[in-house]
Amino acid sequence: MTSTSSTQAQTGSVKAGTPASEFSHRLAQVAETVETFLVDRLGPEIGLGEIARPPRLMEAMRHAVLGGGKRLRPFLAIETARMLGGSEAAALAAGAGVELVHCYSLVHDDLPAMDDDDMRRGKPTVHKAYDEATAILVGDALQTLAFEIVADPTWQPDARIRADLVLGLARASGLGGMVGGQLLDLTAEGRFGAANMDVDDTLRMQAMKTGAILAFSVEAGAIVGGADAGQRAALLRYGLALGQAFQIADDILDREASPEAMGKATGKDKDAGKATLVDRLGLDGARAECDRLVGVCEDAVALWGEKARTLRDAARFTVARKT
């Protein structure tokens, strides 16, 4: 497994003050570090307190997690902690935990009972590559592994910080966050009776389903970095606005991007009757809202000046991305 010192060396190789033109390179560097960390966590070696690692389960977990994704969530945790002078190794572990929760949610979202998708990140979804029962167990295992990593003192020796991270991740991913948002998303499809979600309802659903985990990624970096109450409030404003912008940009891509570019089926949200701001505001209105939210993000981190360059670039990247 990757040691704490080598992890610090890997993340430390990404230097502060990176120009915006190099943002994609920086994102790719951090993604490679995250990938290495996740490969180590998903290996065949039996861990402390484990009885066995069933090969089929591990293979399917690696299928779900490795070799795809921009790793934006751990990137945000790492960059926020770096801006504040916190431990990048601790932020990497926290961000990896968030990423595993995100991956588990995708595995379950893709199931026939949910969104019924065949492709994810350019390859068959887990239930297509294996079977539905295995996919359910993969999601369960990824979720519990996420909390194991975040609670592990190997990367964060301070028990109070670990407790804050575990509590925050649970709240962001649970009934009042991601999972609750997923239920509201299904409600908007009319699965449980007639539904008519207005703009405020749609914003609430998206803030829970997508925004809560993205916002916590930033908050995790703030916790690791020792941010005070005022700084955490500013970073929470940034994270919430970023999460909303990400979801709107995703809805726009679902309408405009090709399945080949996205690595999954597109146009399904409209066919399923899902609630999106594109429906409520139109494409031009949705783009304008994305621009407004980027402005909110930039204002929120203004107090850090040049140190927040990467977070500002991340907000712009979120709305400008093509996949």
Side-chain angles (χ1 to χ4, degrees):
M1 293 190 177
T2 304
S3 67
T4 301
S5 60
S6 65
T7 296
Q8 287 174 319
Q10 287 172 317
T11 52
S13 67
V14 183
K15 297 178 181 178
T18 306
S21 62
E22 297 179 14
F23 176 81
S24 293
H25 177 66
R26 183 179 180 82
L27 181 64
Q29 277 188 300
V30 175
E32 184 177 354
T33 298
V34 173
E35 186 83 0
T36 298
F37 185 91
L38 293 173
V39 167
D40 286 347
R41 308 286 82 72
L42 294 170
E45 299 84 5
I46 297 173
L48 183 66
E50 296 178 348
I51 297 172
R53 289 192 161 196
R56 179 179 178 83
L57 180 62
M58 299 311 303
E59 180 184 310
M61 289 170 72
R62 288 191 291 271
H63 179 91
V65 173
L66 303 178
K70 292 173 281 293
R71 311 302 187 194
L72 179 62
R73 291 154 188 83
F75 178 84
L76 290 168
I78 290 167
E79 291 305 305
T80 302
R82 181 192 59 78
M83 181 182 75
L84 296 169
S87 165
E88 292 184 24
L92 170 60
V98 179
E99 184 70 7
L100 289 176
V101 167
H102 172 59
C103 291
Y104 121 68
S105 75
L106 298 181
V107 173
H108 282 188
D109 269 351
D110 291 336
L111 287 166
M114 298 284 281
D115 288 347
D116 193 15
D117 277 312
D118 294 344
M119 299 293 293
R120 171 70 67 178
R121 294 172 174 171
K123 59 186 180 182
T125 51
V126 177
H127 71 275
K128 285 293 183 180
Y130 296 89
D131 58 82
E132 290 182 35
T134 299
I136 292 169
L137 294 174
V138 163
D140 295 343
L142 291 176
Q143 182 189 43
T144 52
L145 179 60
F147 283 95
E148 179 183 342
I149 289 170
V150 173
D152 192 332
T154 300
W155 300 285
Q156 175 51 258
D158 190 321
R160 289 172 299 179
I161 292 177
R162 295 200 309 274
D164 281 349
L165 291 169
V166 168
L167 180 61
L169 182 56
R171 286 174 172 168
S173 61
L175 62 92
M178 182 186 73
V179 173
Q182 288 171 317
L183 190 283
L184 294 179
D185 193 29
L186 296 177
T187 301
E189 296 178 15
R191 292 204 187 191
F192 316 118
N196 184 23
M197 296 181 71
D198 61 18
V199 171
D200 288 341
D201 294 330
T202 302
L203 286 170
R204 183 182 304 108
M205 179 271 291
Q206 293 184 341
M208 293 170 68
K209 181 185 176 185
T210 304
I213 285 290
L214 271 167
F216 177 70
S217 302
V218 178
E219 188 178 7
I223 293 169
V224 170
D228 61 31
Q231 291 173 328
R232 283 184 67 166
L235 288 166
L236 179 60
R237 288 196 301 275
Y238 170 91
L240 291 172
L242 183 73
Q244 190 66 62
F246 183 96
Q247 183 59 62
I248 297 171
D250 216 43
D251 294 339
I252 293 171
L253 286 169
D254 185 69
R255 296 294 179 86
E256 295 189 328
S258 68
E260 292 75 20
M262 294 294 287
K264 62 179 182 178
T266 57
K268 291 188 65 177
D269 289 353
K270 184 175 178 62
D271 294 341
K274 288 184 178 292
T276 72
L277 283 190
V278 174
D279 291 322
R280 305 299 182 262
L281 303 177
L283 281 168
D284 289 342
R287 291 191 185 96
E289 180 63 6
C290 277
D291 291 340
R292 185 191 72 80
L293 289 165
V294 169
V296 173
C297 289
E298 292 178 336
D299 288 345
V301 297
L303 65 97
W304 285 281
E306 187 63 19
K307 288 184 178 180
R309 176 192 288 271
T310 303
L311 293 184
R312 291 194 297 272
D313 288 347
R316 299 185 193 108
F317 165 82
T318 292
V319 302
R321 62 196 169 91
K322 301 302 180 185
T323 62

